[in-house]
mmCIF file of all heavy atoms in Angstrom:
data_model
loop_
_atom_site.group_PDB
_atom_site.id
_atom_site.type_symbol
_atom_site.label_atom_id
_atom_site.label_comp_id
_atom_site.label_asym_id
_atom_site.label_seq_id
_atom_site.Cartn_x
_atom_site.Cartn_y
_atom_site.Cartn_z
ATOM 1 N N LEU A 218 -25.677 -49.306 44.990
ATOM 2 C CA LEU A 218 -25.580 -49.818 43.611
ATOM 3 C C LEU A 218 -24.259 -49.415 42.964
ATOM 4 O O LEU A 218 -23.866 -49.989 41.949
ATOM 5 C CB LEU A 218 -26.806 -49.406 42.807
ATOM 6 C CG LEU A 218 -28.025 -50.191 43.325
ATOM 7 C CD1 LEU A 218 -29.327 -49.501 43.024
ATOM 8 C CD2 LEU A 218 -28.028 -51.622 42.795
ATOM 9 N N GLY A 222 -20.985 -55.442 40.920
ATOM 10 C CA GLY A 222 -19.788 -56.124 40.402
ATOM 11 C C GLY A 222 -19.053 -56.850 41.514
ATOM 12 O O GLY A 222 -18.542 -57.950 41.315
ATOM 13 N N PRO A 226 -22.272 -60.903 44.457
ATOM 14 C CA PRO A 226 -22.388 -61.236 43.028
ATOM 15 C C PRO A 226 -23.405 -62.348 42.736
ATOM 16 O O PRO A 226 -23.983 -62.374 41.645
ATOM 17 C CB PRO A 226 -20.974 -61.649 42.610
ATOM 18 C CG PRO A 226 -20.135 -61.603 43.832
ATOM 19 C CD PRO A 226 -20.902 -60.974 44.949
ATOM 20 N N TYR A 229 -26.529 -60.119 42.542
ATOM 21 C CA TYR A 229 -26.585 -58.988 41.614
ATOM 22 C C TYR A 229 -25.679 -59.132 40.389
ATOM 23 O O TYR A 229 -25.671 -58.256 39.531
ATOM 24 C CB TYR A 229 -26.228 -57.692 42.364
ATOM 25 C CG TYR A 229 -27.149 -57.411 43.534
ATOM 26 C CD1 TYR A 229 -26.671 -57.385 44.843
ATOM 27 C CD2 TYR A 229 -28.509 -57.187 43.329
ATOM 28 C CE1 TYR A 229 -27.515 -57.141 45.928
ATOM 29 C CE2 TYR A 229 -29.361 -56.941 44.400
ATOM 30 C CZ TYR A 229 -28.859 -56.923 45.698
ATOM 31 O OH TYR A 229 -29.706 -56.680 46.751
ATOM 32 N N GLY A 230 -24.903 -60.246 40.308
ATOM 33 C CA GLY A 230 -24.065 -60.460 39.128
ATOM 34 C C GLY A 230 -22.707 -59.785 39.239
ATOM 35 O O GLY A 230 -22.376 -59.170 40.260
ATOM 36 N N ALA A 279 -37.575 -34.315 28.356
ATOM 37 C CA ALA A 279 -37.262 -35.646 28.905
ATOM 38 C C ALA A 279 -38.430 -36.596 28.654
ATOM 39 O O ALA A 279 -39.594 -36.177 28.561
ATOM 40 C CB ALA A 279 -36.978 -35.566 30.398
ATOM 41 N N LEU A 289 -33.943 -48.184 49.538
ATOM 42 C CA LEU A 289 -34.908 -47.100 49.807
ATOM 43 C C LEU A 289 -36.294 -47.446 49.263
ATOM 44 O O LEU A 289 -37.297 -46.883 49.710
ATOM 45 C CB LEU A 289 -34.410 -45.776 49.213
ATOM 46 C CG LEU A 289 -33.187 -45.170 49.898
ATOM 47 C CD1 LEU A 289 -32.679 -43.965 49.103
ATOM 48 C CD2 LEU A 289 -33.523 -44.744 51.332
ATOM 49 N N VAL A 294 -40.898 -43.128 52.092
ATOM 50 C CA VAL A 294 -42.119 -42.378 51.759
ATOM 51 C C VAL A 294 -41.727 -41.108 50.999
ATOM 52 O O VAL A 294 -42.459 -40.640 50.121
ATOM 53 C CB VAL A 294 -42.889 -42.034 53.050
ATOM 54 C CG1 VAL A 294 -44.117 -41.186 52.753
ATOM 55 C CG2 VAL A 294 -43.305 -43.312 53.776
ATOM 56 N N HIS A 312 -35.575 -53.544 39.465
ATOM 57 C CA HIS A 312 -34.760 -54.279 40.437
ATOM 58 C C HIS A 312 -34.024 -55.411 39.740
ATOM 59 O O HIS A 312 -34.631 -56.156 38.953
ATOM 60 C CB HIS A 312 -35.627 -54.846 41.565
ATOM 61 C CG HIS A 312 -36.309 -53.771 42.345
ATOM 62 N ND1 HIS A 312 -35.632 -52.953 43.223
ATOM 63 C CD2 HIS A 312 -37.592 -53.346 42.330
ATOM 64 C CE1 HIS A 312 -36.479 -52.085 43.743
ATOM 65 N NE2 HIS A 312 -37.672 -52.295 43.216
ATOM 66 N N ASN A 315 -35.006 -60.665 41.941
ATOM 67 C CA ASN A 315 -36.443 -60.836 42.154
ATOM 68 C C ASN A 315 -36.723 -60.633 43.637
ATOM 69 O O ASN A 315 -36.634 -61.573 44.437
ATOM 70 C CB ASN A 315 -36.903 -62.221 41.697
ATOM 71 C CG ASN A 315 -38.396 -62.416 41.973
ATOM 72 O OD1 ASN A 315 -39.061 -61.517 42.498
ATOM 73 N ND2 ASN A 315 -38.910 -63.574 41.633
ATOM 74 N N PRO A 321 -38.968 -61.183 53.360
ATOM 75 C CA PRO A 321 -40.268 -60.496 53.367
ATOM 76 C C PRO A 321 -40.146 -58.961 53.389
ATOM 77 O O PRO A 321 -40.984 -58.277 52.799
ATOM 78 C CB PRO A 321 -40.941 -61.014 54.642
ATOM 79 C CG PRO A 321 -40.299 -62.343 54.894
ATOM 80 C CD PRO A 321 -38.895 -62.261 54.373
ATOM 81 N N VAL A 331 -46.528 -45.570 42.635
ATOM 82 C CA VAL A 331 -46.421 -44.343 41.834
ATOM 83 C C VAL A 331 -45.577 -44.581 40.572
ATOM 84 O O VAL A 331 -45.224 -43.632 39.869
ATOM 85 C CB VAL A 331 -45.855 -43.161 42.666
ATOM 86 C CG1 VAL A 331 -46.905 -42.654 43.634
ATOM 87 C CG2 VAL A 331 -44.570 -43.543 43.407
ATOM 88 N N GLY A 338 -36.126 -58.717 38.436
ATOM 89 C CA GLY A 338 -35.584 -60.069 38.377
ATOM 90 C C GLY A 338 -34.894 -60.474 37.093
ATOM 91 O O GLY A 338 -34.574 -61.648 36.918
#
Side-chain angles (χ1 to χ4, degrees):
L218 290 157
Y229 302 116
L289 291 172
V294 177
H312 298 287
N315 178 0
V331 286

